[in-house]
């Protein structure tokens, strides 16, 4: 790669929209922007309901509020550059802003992964030992788990931006997406990136890799516990409490798997599809999580309807 710079940390990165559809970016971006707006509204409503309804101050819903907060953080990290590119036509992004966006995108992704693991553990405890559920997971334990998830996400992502500053980049580099990712930036560097790649790999293995393995282990234990229940009706009732969580686990991990396969199979043959998948794998989980829980959780639905009816009465 040709490098025309010798000062680390002073490069400019160009955001990439949908290749071949540059003239239609305004129209193509409308559904993406609508997804972002609905995601922000939906997760804000979830947070408001859980905060204001004492009946939702249970570990499962507190973890759900953490998930909603991480989804809002992910939207706040990706939405600004999408607006810059698709509506304002501004592609340029300075190194510091790009590195900051990279840190927050990966940090909130790791937080979401950690919360999904905590929710899997919560479901296992609720099914395995329902009588001591509140004792095993008091609010203090839930707060400590949330703090541990946040600290882990920060510690795993801090080395990334710091190590990037020592690399040399071309004065102008073209990104693969409309936001900055660690693997994308490392691939654009002109200098030795072995340390960066190793740190990035270790970060992924200690977050997404570890969490997904432990989530599968949790569900294996849940399945074993459910099969030990004598009553078929009780088995179905126990499994039904896991449906919402299992759906959002699949929504979180499957787009990432699809994007990974697409990048390895035929990324350059379908560049617009690769960009679409890259956008969807960040946009779909924040968009779908509130919908899944509103559909599957009776308490969330009742809380929303109660607030809505109360609002109508106040207006009347």
């Amino acid at each position: 790669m040709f490098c025309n710079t010798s000062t680390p940390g002073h490069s400019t990165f160009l955001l990439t929209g949908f290749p071949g559809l540059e003239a239609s970016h305004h129209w193509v971006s409308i559904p993406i922007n609508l997804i972002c707006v609905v995601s922000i509204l939906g997760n804000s409503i979830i947070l408001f309901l859980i905060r204001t309804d004492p009946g939702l101050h249970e570990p499962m819903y507190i973890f759900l509020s953490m998930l909603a907060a991480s989804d809002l953080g992910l939207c706040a990290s990706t939405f600004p550059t999408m607006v810059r590119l698709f509506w304002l036509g501004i592609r340029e992004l300075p190194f510091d802003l790009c590195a900051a966006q990279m840190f927050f995108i990966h940090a909130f992704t790791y937080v979401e992964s950690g919360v999904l693991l905590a929710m899997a553990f919560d479901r296992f405890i609720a099914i395995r030992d329902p009588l001591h559920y509140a004792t095993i997971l008091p609010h203090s334990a839930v707060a400590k788990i949330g703090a541990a998830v946040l600290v882990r996400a920060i510690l795993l992502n801090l080395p990334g931006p710091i190590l990037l500053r020592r690399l040399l980049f071309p004065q102008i580099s073209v990104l693969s997406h409309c936001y900055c990712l660690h693997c994308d930036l490392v691939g654009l560097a002109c200098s030795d990136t072995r340390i960066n790649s190793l740190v990035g790999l270790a970060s992924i293995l200690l977050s997404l890799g570890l969490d997904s393995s432990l989530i599968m282990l949790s569900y294996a234990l849940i399945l074993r516990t459910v099969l030990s229940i004598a009553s078929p009706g009780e088995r179905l009732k126990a499994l039904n409490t896991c449906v919402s969580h299992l759906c959002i686990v699949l929504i979180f991990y499957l787009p990432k798997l699809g994007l990974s396969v697409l990048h390895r199979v035929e990324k350059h043959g379908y560049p617009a599809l690769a960009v679409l998948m890259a956008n969807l794998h960040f946009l779909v989980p924040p968009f779908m999580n509130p919908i899944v829980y509103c559909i599957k959780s009776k308490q969330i639905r009742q809380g929303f309807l109660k607030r809505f009816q109360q609002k109508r009465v106040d207006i009347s």
Side-chain angles (χ1 to χ4, degrees):
M1 181 183 292
F2 175 73
C3 283
N4 189 25
T5 182
S6 59
T7 307
H10 287 79
S11 302
T12 299
F13 297 94
L14 299 181
L15 304 169
T16 297
F18 293 94
L21 299 175
E22 287 81 4
S24 305
H25 267 176
H26 284 84
W27 297 106
V28 173
S29 67
I30 289 175
I32 292 179
N33 290 328
L34 285 176
I35 289 174
C36 287
V37 171
V38 172
S39 301
I40 292 170
L41 288 175
N43 286 289
S44 298
I45 290 171
I46 292 288
L47 277 175
F48 174 75
L49 290 176
I50 294 173
R51 178 179 175 83
T52 57
D53 190 342
L56 298 177
H57 292 176
E58 299 177 8
M60 180 176 73
Y61 298 110
I62 296 174
F63 285 131
L64 177 58
S65 69
M66 295 179 188
L67 189 70
S70 65
D71 284 337
L72 286 174
L74 199 56
C75 289
S77 301
T78 55
F79 196 35
T81 50
M82 290 182 182
V83 172
R84 281 171 61 97
L85 176 63
F86 293 131
W87 288 99
L88 303 180
I90 302 174
R91 297 184 63 192
E92 297 82 7
L93 202 64
F95 175 86
D96 289 335
L97 282 180
C98 195
Q101 184 187 46
M102 178 202 76
F103 171 82
F104 285 112
I105 286 177
H106 289 298
F108 284 118
T109 300
Y110 291 179
V111 167
E112 184 158 354
S113 177
V115 172
L116 289 177
L117 173 58
M119 294 173 82
F121 175 71
D122 167 79
R123 290 299 83 208
F124 171 64
I125 297 297
I127 292 173
R128 178 66 182 272
D129 198 357
L131 294 179
H132 299 94
Y133 173 63
T135 306
I136 297 172
L137 279 178
H139 287 175
S140 58
V142 173
K144 289 176 182 177
I145 292 172
V149 167
L150 180 60
V151 169
R152 184 193 68 163
I154 293 173
L155 292 179
L156 287 178
N157 281 286
L158 269 180
I162 295 172
L163 291 173
L164 278 177
R165 294 197 68 86
R166 69 179 185 86
L167 299 180
L168 292 175
F169 292 92
Q171 287 184 350
I172 297 179
S173 302
V174 180
L175 298 169
S176 301
H177 312 295
C178 56
Y179 41 76
C180 301
L181 298 178
H182 183 263
C183 57
D184 204 5
L185 294 176
V186 169
L188 292 171
C190 301
S191 43
D192 187 3
T193 61
R194 282 176 295 182
I195 295 177
N196 300 73
S197 298
L198 287 173
V199 169
L201 178 61
S203 176
I204 291 174
L205 291 177
L206 291 173
S207 56
L208 302 180
L210 179 63
D211 293 346
S212 58
S213 300
L214 292 176
I215 288 172
M216 287 190 288
L217 176 61
S218 297
Y219 271 97
L221 295 174
I222 288 172
L223 188 59
R224 189 179 72 173
T225 303
V226 169
L227 291 176
S228 67
I229 300 175
S231 169
E234 290 298 319
R235 288 182 192 174
L236 188 61
K237 183 179 178 182
L239 285 175
N240 194 46
T241 63
C242 300
V243 171
S244 299
H245 178 257
L246 188 57
C247 286
I248 60 175
V249 167
L250 294 175
I251 289 169
F252 180 77
Y253 283 104
L254 285 183
K256 288 175 171 48
L257 181 62
L259 181 64
S260 178
V261 170
L262 185 64
H263 271 265
R264 282 161 177 75
V265 175
E266 193 57 50
K267 172 186 172 182
H268 299 291
Y270 306 97
L273 179 60
V275 172
L276 178 63
M277 282 292 296
N279 286 321
L280 289 180
H281 102 285
F282 281 126
L283 294 175
V284 169
F287 174 73
M288 289 301 300
N289 291 347
I291 295 175
V292 168
Y293 267 94
C294 282
I295 292 173
K296 292 299 298 179
S297 174
K298 183 180 178 180
Q299 291 89 335
I300 294 288
R301 288 201 310 273
Q302 287 178 340
F304 177 75
L305 291 174
K306 184 170 68 175
R307 293 289 171 182
F308 181 72
Q309 290 169 353
Q310 182 181 354
K311 190 70 175 176
R312 288 184 62 182
V313 170
D314 291 342
I315 292 175
S316 299

